[in-house]
Amino acid sequence: MKKSKLHLCILTSILISSGHAFADEMIRNGQFNGIDGWWTAGGQVSTDDNQACMKITNPGSDPWSVILGHGGVGLAEGETYTISFNAYADVNTQVKTLIQHEGPPYTHYFINDTKISTEKQKFTFEFTQDKPSDAGGEFQFQMGAQKPATVCISDMSIQGKPYVEVVENSPIRHNQLGFLPQADKFIFIASDSKEPLRWTLSNAEGINVDMGRTEPFGTNKASGEGLHRINLSHYKSEMSGLTVAIEDDKGVPFDISSQIYNRLKYDALSYFYQNRSGIEIKPEFVQRDDLARPAGHPSDVVTCFDKQDSWGNDWPGCDFTIDTTGGWYDAGDHGKYVVNSGISTWTLLNLYERGLWLDNAQTPFNSGNVTIPEQGNGVNPLLSEARWNIEFMLAMQIPEGKRVYAPIGNQSSDQSLKLTEIDASNLAFHKIADEAWTGMPLPPHMDTQKRYVGQPSTAATLNLAAIGAQCARIWKEIDPEFSKQCLNAAEKAWQAAEKHPEIYAYDNFNGSGPYGDFELADEIYWAASELFITTGKDSYKQVVVDSPLYLDTPKANLEADGDIFWQYTAPLGTISLAVVESKLDKKEVEKARKAIIETSDNYVSQLANEGYHIPYTVEEYPWGSNSNLVNRGIFLIYANDFTGDTKYIKAAANAMDYVLGANPMNISYITGHGTNAAQNPHHRFWAKAADENYPAPAPGALIGGPNSISFSDPVAAPLKGNCIGQTCYRDNINAWTLNEITINWNAPLVWVASALDEGKLN
């Protein structure tokens, strides 16, 4: 296609800043002012005195068991490069110094077995790239398979001509599925032109049905690009195969249809079945046969962590085992976490409760079209899916009379943990996961790592109390025995959390994330709210109304942490109080609803600030930014439920427009949905990008998306300082800070896709 002035170039690999002092220096932060730009595996790094020291206590059996790595090393064929650094160790040792392709087949471009002594030495290597150019090169010190040591590196440099790949990105962006009939219908065009541009709209037969001129917006602060808009909101009849063209550029086809979210809501819910632990994933319940797999961890019976952690702290284990079989894998790895399970399960159950308690909301997934093993059991499939994880959460509760070791209080650092033996009756273990991070790819049924529960935590225990209470009221008539089990566990968990209010999570073994949280007032308020709604007891009500977070909702400020997520759960309690019938005074219920409406008004007001017309204005885009947009949709749809004003549900649809393609990357962040959908989520089974023998991702997974705060993976690292907000993204399986998928991101996708599919914009 002929290039036009509208085409934008998006760098898909390292971007070189024109203001860099050394234009050909490819190591960012070679002086180790912190760890930014680097990533690690298998060891603990400290960065003092402009050096990185890797403490290796568990060297593993392979060189790559311990790595200090740096991505974004683009090598041009025929060019010469110089690697230099200083290094020493506390014992004589050896590391592999190498540059390789960042993913399979891990082609080596340079490799050297480097002997490091206790005396600091300067190392210099020169090589010529004799293989085809590669923008995806990665530098590594591989330090595993040696005796334990501490290796220190300083003055790291790679100099030479960087190789940069450039691809063209169409300037015409919109929701690639299309629009609901009564929704806003904006088409966005990237252009720096100050003058309106001529556009045409064609139908499926290629006949022009409308034309006009764009409305210049100016610079979109969140992406740094000039934008224009076309407003097609006056089209309300159902049509398919529409396309917009400007000059020589033609957008992808889209529909106006009441059905655009119908398939998506089922695929989004299927994500949970396909990421179940402890059960075979059968071909009759998934979208493609290659997505089926044997059961992962079919007997997940484990004990407490009983080894030395990466900082030298000795964890003594415990004298019992628990059966944690079942539940959902948290993300693309094999860990299961009570805290992230909590908000994810609550979101699915809340969608059901919305249909149960609000007259203007439909009961979700009531058509019988959900394909899971429990279909046909007479229970709403949303509840059947949630129960799979609730039973796992119940299993994570420590039996009566059992004693474990735990760190008490917010201690100064992981290195100085002081462990105390406690009566842990009815506390919840924080997580279960592999002893060490597994490689990529690795489906869960092939995982041979030893698995452990970590420690109990107060946060996990309060999550169990909240979900147990929610479960008890929902299953009261459906399954009275299960309801009683849930309530008994919830109340005992509450009592245990009161007894042990300061047990915080630490990263005590490196096959999992810490999910640490030192502010628990929100979990206390949330759990008390759910228990009060279910039991009506004054003791819980008093905690609710006395909480400093009573009727709390997000303030929609510019900070990236201003949205609900696993570390900020107070609004979950407020939503439940606003929706579910309880003994709370009706005036207080109205206050809760008013708080939700006020938050939603703030979200709606942000539409005007954003070139892509989204209810999301923040200073930086955080890890999982797409989930924040979808979570805001929950508040906006509730505001519509409470007021009847369609401006709120339209704003929720605007957020989905962005997620489905109306963004500067011109990509749908939901796998399998959209003409140009993300294809490479960070997942150990859906790993075709890493190995052709593995499946491409299932449709319906929400990608985390742009992240301008954390650059800790090898793909994201080169973007630091070279991207703006919405452009800090690459569709790459190794980019876990950008391309991760998780249960707590897909749960709000299920919620919003279902509500829009059955809502007032059809």
Side-chain angles (χ1 to χ4, degrees):
M1 181 173 65
K2 179 183 175 183
K3 297 181 179 67
S4 79
K5 65 182 179 182
L6 296 175
H7 269 103
L8 298 182
C9 291
I10 299 295
L11 303 186
T12 58
S13 59
I14 182 172
L15 302 177
I16 305 301
S17 170
S18 60
H20 200 294
F22 301 98
D24 293 335
E25 173 61 67
M26 288 189 282
I27 294 295
R28 300 160 303 283
N29 191 19
Q31 297 301 311
F32 295 104
N33 295 310
I35 199 65
D36 285 355
W38 294 84
W39 63 276
T40 64
Q44 181 66 21
V45 171
S46 61
T47 53
D48 298 319
D49 301 322
N50 295 114
Q51 63 182 4
C53 292
M54 175 78 83
K55 183 178 181 180
I56 307 164
T57 55
N58 298 305
S61 57
D62 300 299
W64 54 86
S65 297
V66 181
I67 297 174
L68 177 63
H70 187 292
V73 179
L75 303 178
E77 185 174 5
E79 292 292 329
T80 298
Y81 298 90
T82 301
I83 303 169
S84 64
F85 57 90
N86 296 330
Y88 68 95
D90 60 348
V91 295
N92 291 334
T93 188
Q94 179 174 294
V95 304
K96 288 187 180 295
T97 303
L98 60 88
I99 300 176
Q100 65 181 21
H101 182 67
E102 66 184 5
Y106 300 107
T107 305
H108 285 166
Y109 303 126
F110 170 84
I111 186 166
N112 176 267
D113 289 321
T114 308
K115 294 182 179 180
I116 298 177
S117 71
T118 56
E119 297 293 326
K120 181 184 286 191
Q121 296 174 265
K122 183 176 180 64
F123 296 88
T124 301
F125 307 103
E126 188 175 275
F127 74 100
T128 299
Q129 173 70 351
D130 58 3
K131 294 181 173 63
S133 299
D134 184 5
E138 181 175 273
F139 176 81
Q140 293 183 7
F141 290 111
Q142 293 187 352
M143 303 179 181
Q146 304 290 327
K147 56 188 176 183
T150 297
V151 179
C152 296
I153 309 292
S154 60
D155 295 313
M156 181 67 220
S157 171
I158 299 178
Q159 296 219 6
K161 182 179 180 181
Y163 176 68
V164 178
E165 285 181 347
V166 178
V167 296
E168 291 184 344
N169 185 8
S170 171
I172 303 174
R173 296 89 183 263
H174 55 75
N175 185 324
Q176 294 173 13
L177 299 184
F179 306 95
L180 295 169
Q182 303 303 316
D184 293 335
K185 303 172 186 68
F186 287 106
I187 311 295
F188 304 96
I189 298 90
S191 172
D192 291 328
S193 172
K194 301 295 189 293
E195 299 300 320
L197 306 170
R198 186 178 296 278
W199 58 266
T200 58
L201 176 68
S202 302
N203 62 18
E205 289 73 39
I207 300 171
N208 290 350
V209 295
D210 201 354
M211 64 179 60
R213 290 189 178 274
T214 61
E215 176 189 352
F217 173 83
T219 300
N220 179 44
K221 185 178 178 181
S223 63
E225 55 185 345
L227 285 181
H228 290 228
R229 294 175 180 172
I230 302 168
N231 189 347
L232 301 177
S233 301
H234 58 286
Y235 283 95
K236 300 184 184 299
S237 299
E238 301 214 0
M239 292 182 280
S240 61
L242 297 172
T243 55
V244 166
I246 296 181
E247 296 184 355
D248 298 310
D249 292 293
K250 189 175 184 179
V252 299
F254 64 92
D255 299 338
I256 298 174
S257 169
S258 60
Q259 299 295 307
I260 63 169
Y261 294 113
N262 187 261
R263 183 68 257 160
L264 174 56
K265 72 179 183 182
Y266 290 108
D267 286 344
L269 182 59
S270 179
Y271 176 95
F272 292 89
Y273 168 67
Q274 296 187 57
N275 284 279
R276 286 188 190 184
S277 178
I279 187 174
E280 178 186 1
I281 306 305
K282 295 185 176 181
E284 59 263 37
F285 301 128
V286 293
Q287 299 94 336
R288 306 188 314 266
D289 286 352
D290 66 342
L291 295 169
R293 59 168 172 79
H297 308 100
S299 179
D300 223 0
V301 180
V302 298
T303 190
C304 304
F305 188 66
D306 58 5
K307 295 181 180 296
Q308 189 178 80
D309 65 24
S310 298
W311 302 279
N313 302 303
D314 291 314
W315 290 78
C318 54
D319 63 356
F320 62 95
T321 62
I322 62 170
D323 187 347
T324 70
T325 306
W328 301 315
Y329 295 116
D330 178 67
D333 56 272
H334 306 140
K336 299 183 291 187
Y337 306 81
V338 172
V339 290
N340 216 31
S341 283
I343 189 171
S344 306
T345 306
W346 178 90
T347 302
L348 298 185
L349 294 180
N350 176 261
L351 175 61
Y352 176 81
E353 290 197 301
R354 173 178 176 263
L356 189 65
W357 293 106
L358 299 186
D359 292 338
N360 55 357
Q362 296 185 35
T363 302
F365 297 102
N366 219 21
S367 64
N369 292 331
V370 175
T371 55
I372 54 175
E374 298 85 356
Q375 66 186 49
N377 66 357
V379 178
N380 187 291
L382 198 61
L383 300 185
S384 294
E385 188 56 65
R387 181 167 177 165
W388 186 264
N389 199 68
I390 294 170
E391 290 179 349
F392 154 72
M393 294 181 70
L394 295 173
M396 292 289 277
Q397 192 164 36
I398 297 173
E400 294 276 359
K402 296 299 182 182
R403 301 184 69 81
V404 302
Y405 284 81
I408 307 298
N410 186 357
Q411 300 177 47
S412 60
S413 70
D414 294 344
Q415 291 91 329
S416 62
L417 288 179
K418 294 180 180 179
L419 304 181
T420 303
E421 187 180 21
I422 61 170
D423 175 2
S425 301
N426 301 308
L427 289 169
F429 281 114
H430 195 72
K431 62 184 176 182
I432 171 177
D434 295 321
E435 179 179 2
W437 287 114
T438 58
M440 171 81 74
L442 185 74
H445 62 276
M446 296 178 66
D447 180 16
T448 60
Q449 289 265 8
K450 187 171 182 179
R451 289 166 70 77
Y452 291 98
V453 284
Q455 60 184 75
S457 74
T458 306
T461 305
L462 290 167
N463 270 258
L464 177 57
I467 297 304
Q470 195 182 23
C471 161
R473 62 179 180 258
I474 291 174
W475 270 270
K476 187 174 183 179
E477 303 297 331
I478 298 170
D479 187 339
E481 286 303 312
F482 184 54
S483 171
K484 290 177 183 177
Q485 180 188 0
C486 284
L487 185 56
N488 182 54
E491 296 212 89
K492 287 185 175 180
W494 176 263
Q495 293 161 12
E498 284 190 311
K499 183 178 178 181
H500 298 290
E502 291 187 297
I503 305 177
Y504 301 110
Y506 288 87
D507 195 10
N508 60 322
F509 60 105
N510 65 9
S512 54
Y515 279 96
D517 187 355
F518 299 113
E519 298 292 336
L520 302 183
D522 53 323
E523 282 87 358
I524 292 169
Y525 166 67
W526 171 36
S529 298
E530 303 295 353
L531 283 160
F532 166 62
I533 293 168
T534 299
T535 68
K537 291 182 180 180
D538 286 339
S539 57
Y540 298 125
K541 180 181 179 181
Q542 202 62 46
V543 175
V544 171
V545 298
D546 287 347
S547 171
L549 297 174
Y550 180 51
L551 304 185
D552 184 60
T553 56
K555 300 302 181 284
N557 53 28
L558 294 179
E559 298 299 322
D561 61 356
D563 293 280
I564 57 170
F565 72 123
W566 59 268
Q567 232 175 16
Y568 173 43
T569 58
L572 311 186
T574 300
I575 290 175
S576 289
L577 291 169
V579 173
V580 183
E581 187 175 286
S582 71
K583 290 184 178 180
L584 189 67
D585 186 89
K586 298 300 180 186
K587 291 183 179 179
E588 297 302 295
V589 173
E590 286 304 313
K591 287 182 183 177
R593 294 186 172 189
K594 183 179 179 182
I596 292 168
I597 294 166
E598 288 177 350
T599 287
S600 298
D601 282 334
N602 202 331
Y603 292 157
V604 170
S605 71
Q606 294 177 14
L607 293 169
N609 304 332
E610 300 299 316
Y612 287 100
H613 201 68
I614 55 176
Y616 192 63
T617 297
V618 293
E619 290 181 342
E620 296 287 352
Y621 273 58
W623 197 328
S625 60
N626 286 335
S627 71
N628 289 350
L629 278 150
V630 182
N631 270 315
R632 289 187 174 200
I634 295 176
F635 288 89
L636 290 161
I637 291 171
Y638 269 130
N640 171 255
D641 290 337
F642 299 150
T643 67
D645 193 331
T646 58
K647 73 179 181 182
Y648 298 112
I649 195 169
K650 284 183 177 181
N654 295 146
M656 287 294 287
D657 291 342
Y658 169 90
V659 169
L660 282 159
N663 58 66
M665 308 309 293
N666 200 28
I667 191 171
S668 166
Y669 289 115
I670 302 175
T671 58
H673 288 264
T675 306
N676 180 34
Q679 301 181 51
N680 304 301
H682 185 71
H683 196 275
R684 282 162 175 73
F685 178 51
W686 299 340
K688 192 176 184 68
D691 188 324
E692 285 290 329
N693 296 311
Y694 285 78
L702 178 65
I703 300 294
N707 178 357
S708 61
I709 296 176
S710 174
F711 297 89
S712 57
D713 68 58
V715 177
L719 299 178
K720 186 172 184 179
N722 298 298
C723 63
I724 298 173
Q726 296 169 351
T727 69
C728 296
Y729 175 78
R730 296 294 178 265
D731 183 15
N732 188 300
I733 195 170
N734 293 314
W736 56 82
T737 63
L738 311 175
N739 244 29
E740 187 178 30
I741 50 179
T742 76
I743 54 175
N744 65 308
W745 299 346
N746 244 69
L749 178 64
V750 173
W751 201 110
V752 173
S754 176
L756 287 175
D757 182 60
E758 299 160 0
K760 300 172 185 176
L761 297 179
N762 292 338

